[in-house]
Amino acid sequence: MISVARFDQAKRPTYVASLELVPEVLAGSRLAIARMISRAEGNYAEASAALAEIYKHTGKAHIIGITGVPGAGKSTLVASLIKALTLEGHKVGVVAVDPSSPFSGGAILGDRVRMNDAAEANQAFVRSMATRGHLGGLAPSTLQAVDVLDAAGYSPIIIETVGVGQDEVEIVTAAHTVVVLSAPGLGDDIQAIKAGILEIADIHVVSKADKPEAAATVAAIKGMLALGSGTSHSTWSSPVLAVSSVSGEHMESLQTTLRNHWKHLQDSGEFAARERNNCRTRIFNMARHLFQQQFDAGANDLEQHLQAVVRRESDPRTAANVLLGWNQER
Amino acid sequence: MSTNKIRVLVAKLGLDGHDRGAKVVSRILRDAGMEVIYTGLYKTPTQVVNAAIQEDVDVIGVSLLSGSHVPLFRELCKCLRDHKAEHIFVVAGGVIPEQDYEPLRECGVDVIIPQEARADLIVTTITELVEARGRI
């Protein structure tokens, strides 16, 4: 019989109320920041007042989204950025999203593997997050994690999305600057003119510039951009940069471009519009989430209503009304 | 309603390049519904503790096959205490001879899972540890 050796080390920490953690978060305590993010992720009712308080202290950080196909080099790029930005004296926050299993709900979050030393720098805070069933490239509480880091004084804050396909563009209403990372050798100019992910980039980055195919990918994206932008309400024209984390090639020009875009947002007045748009999306998403919660709370009676609908004694709309706790017809 | 997952940091400490076991265990925990953060190879105790704090994990699982488990766990547990992160459980796995169990207990290791352990034993051990502590 194989057994484990279990020692009772007598450690039973008490639960610290979330509101009590808020001053510690604002003072930059890493334990408090990490704990608060977990409570947002776990959707603790007890934490909602604290998160509301934290939100009042946000709005200072430059939020940078990095998205691209799996294996494009997002984590590696983030690692290079952490290194460069912390050297410049920034406190860099990172929220890196990886997928949850649709079967077990578990996840392996491997973004840290690429970040190694960068993630351990004292001026950086890197948090991995699982999607927990959420589609769109982010996790349900990614933006709350960003709030916590923002309130704690981190800027810029980098959101690394899951490896996306062609259509997961949620990052566009989550960040101020969206970097779309394309890997060489994955598609031609037809892929480049398709709608979706490539349209949302404020900055295009082609990774693995040390590979010979990178030039063709840069050309395909530039060709696509030459046809004009579908979202013409910006005066910013998205540059295409080829970078290599192996050789360190052009990492500096990416940093400069990130800074330029941030400055452009402020100078052009687009920042305010973007903030409004991002906040609007957050309200809608939260409303949808609360709505779902309310529906789930009534779902214990689902079976009864389901049978009634199948037997034609009730109808789907009436059943939905009752399950939502709405007494009269809407 | 709170629905938090058990979060585990799976780490490789020191000069030990054998990570097949760590990856298999990561996969087992994933399939049991846990969120596993894998650190990669050749980590120092300080790096592991830094990562564990930022990730707010419930458990640090370290697989060691190099024979240097006693000094490395001593350093790891000390580092956890220094950072006031003793609420994180330390689970040791890999090749650990029984005569080293007592020194590891003294360091602050919570559980030693022998290498022969089956998947379900690993899962129930970690689940019980975290559930007994409760949410924090």
Side-chain angles (χ1 to χ4, degrees):
Chain A
M1 177 67 189
I2 300 153
S3 62
V4 302
R6 184 167 167 179
F7 313 123
D8 192 2
Q9 299 285 7
K11 43 183 172 189
R12 296 282 174 271
T14 47
Y15 187 92
V16 179
S18 297
L19 276 171
E20 283 174 42
L21 282 181
V22 174
E24 291 184 46
V25 168
L26 298 179
S29 152
R30 297 176 156 236
L31 281 167
I33 293 167
R35 183 76 35 88
M36 192 61 81
I37 293 175
S38 299
R39 290 181 183 178
E41 264 196 299
N43 204 10
Y44 289 16
E46 183 269 331
S48 56
L51 289 164
E53 186 56 35
I54 281 172
Y55 187 81
K56 293 181 195 159
H57 297 269
T58 63
K60 299 178 292 255
H62 179 194
I63 303 170
I64 299 168
I66 297 198
T67 190
V69 297
K74 293 182 293 300
S75 301
T76 308
L77 183 73
V78 170
S80 306
L81 277 175
I82 297 174
K83 225 176 239 173
L85 291 165
T86 49
L87 271 177
E88 283 183 352
H90 296 284
K91 272 177 79 182
V92 183
V94 175
V95 182
V97 190
D98 261 340
S100 293
S101 162
F103 304 110
S104 72
I108 292 185
L109 310 172
D111 292 320
R112 282 197 102 87
V113 177
R114 323 275 169 219
M115 297 182 195
N116 282 330
D117 318 338
E120 312 313 338
N122 275 333
Q123 293 303 309
F125 191 107
V126 178
R127 181 62 176 246
S128 314
M129 239 181 198
T131 52
R132 300 195 181 180
H134 187 81
L135 303 173
L138 301 179
S141 43
T142 299
L143 291 179
Q144 285 174 315
V146 171
D147 287 344
V148 174
L149 289 169
D150 186 346
Y154 286 85
S155 180
I157 298 169
I158 301 172
I159 304 174
E160 180 191 334
T161 72
V162 293
V164 299
Q166 296 175 309
D167 207 17
E168 294 98 329
V169 295
E170 198 174 15
I171 189 69
V172 78
T173 51
H176 301 122
T177 304
V178 176
V179 176
V180 175
L181 192 61
S182 301
L186 288 183
D188 56 9
D189 50 344
I190 299 300
Q191 291 299 338
I193 57 170
K194 285 184 183 170
I197 185 100
L198 286 175
E199 287 181 281
I200 67 171
D202 297 303
I203 302 170
H204 283 280
V205 173
V206 174
S207 62
K208 313 182 197 204
D210 47 294
K211 295 194 179 221
E213 307 93 293
T217 306
V218 170
I221 295 171
K222 282 190 173 159
M224 177 267 293
L225 293 172
L227 300 174
S229 150
T231 55
S232 53
H233 46 263
S234 174
T235 50
W236 171 263
S237 65
S238 308
V240 186
L241 308 172
V243 304
S244 165
S245 295
V246 175
S247 66
E249 204 177 323
H250 299 312
M251 280 307 301
E252 274 175 28
S253 62
L254 175 56
Q255 267 172 271
T256 312
T257 312
L258 285 169
R259 257 197 310 271
N260 289 346
H261 186 252
W262 180 239
K263 191 167 180 302
H264 164 82
L265 288 177
Q266 316 285 341
D267 295 350
S268 65
E270 281 172 37
F271 182 76
R274 205 141 178 165
E275 274 284 291
R276 268 181 65 86
N277 197 26
N278 292 5
C279 288
R280 183 188 295 118
T281 307
R282 284 189 71 171
I283 297 172
F284 283 160
N285 286 347
M286 190 49 80
R288 224 172 269 136
H289 170 74
L290 293 175
F291 198 70
Q292 180 76 44
Q293 262 189 339
Q294 187 176 352
F295 186 81
D296 290 347
N300 291 335
D301 303 328
L302 178 64
E303 187 53 36
Q304 173 199 337
H305 292 284
L306 175 61
Q307 285 180 21
V309 173
V310 171
R311 285 198 300 263
R312 274 31 185 198
E313 290 159 11
S314 177
D315 65 278
R317 189 174 174 135
T318 305
N321 263 315
V322 177
L323 286 170
L324 282 165
W326 293 343
N327 294 324
Q328 66 234 30
E329 180 64 36
R330 302 189 187 207
Chain B
M1 188 181 64
S2 73
T3 51
N4 249 355
K5 304 271 182 191
I6 294 177
R7 284 168 73 88
V8 182
L9 189 85
V10 173
K12 291 291 295 181
L13 275 178
L15 282 176
D16 175 359
H18 300 277
D19 65 347
R20 175 67 66 92
K23 285 175 181 160
V24 170
V25 170
S26 299
R27 179 62 199 272
I28 289 167
L29 300 178
R30 183 202 86 176
D31 290 343
M34 300 181 196
E35 290 181 352
V36 181
I37 296 102
Y38 182 54
T39 61
L41 294 166
Y42 313 125
K43 297 297 160 193
T44 66
T46 313
Q47 286 176 321
V48 170
V49 169
N50 267 332
I53 288 173
Q54 292 173 27
E55 299 291 355
D56 194 30
V57 294
D58 302 293
V59 175
I60 298 174
V62 180
S63 154
L64 264 163
L65 305 157
S66 66
S68 48
H69 40 269
V70 176
L72 283 171
F73 276 111
R74 185 174 296 134
E75 187 61 29
L76 180 77
C77 293
K78 180 182 177 295
C79 197
L80 278 174
R81 284 192 294 273
D82 290 348
H83 285 86
K84 298 187 173 30
E86 295 154 284
H87 58 279
I88 302 173
F89 292 103
V90 177
V91 176
V95 181
I96 297 176
E98 268 185 47
Q99 72 253 31
D100 290 338
Y101 280 22
E102 184 52 28
L104 288 179
R105 186 191 66 77
E106 282 170 16
C107 298
V109 170
D110 293 279
V111 176
I112 300 168
I113 303 182
Q115 57 182 336
E116 306 83 11
R118 292 169 52 96
D120 49 359
L121 182 62
I122 301 174
V123 171
T124 49
T125 302
I126 289 179
T127 309
E128 281 171 16
L129 265 183
V130 176
E131 282 178 357
R133 184 197 60 187
R135 73 179 200 179
I136 51 165

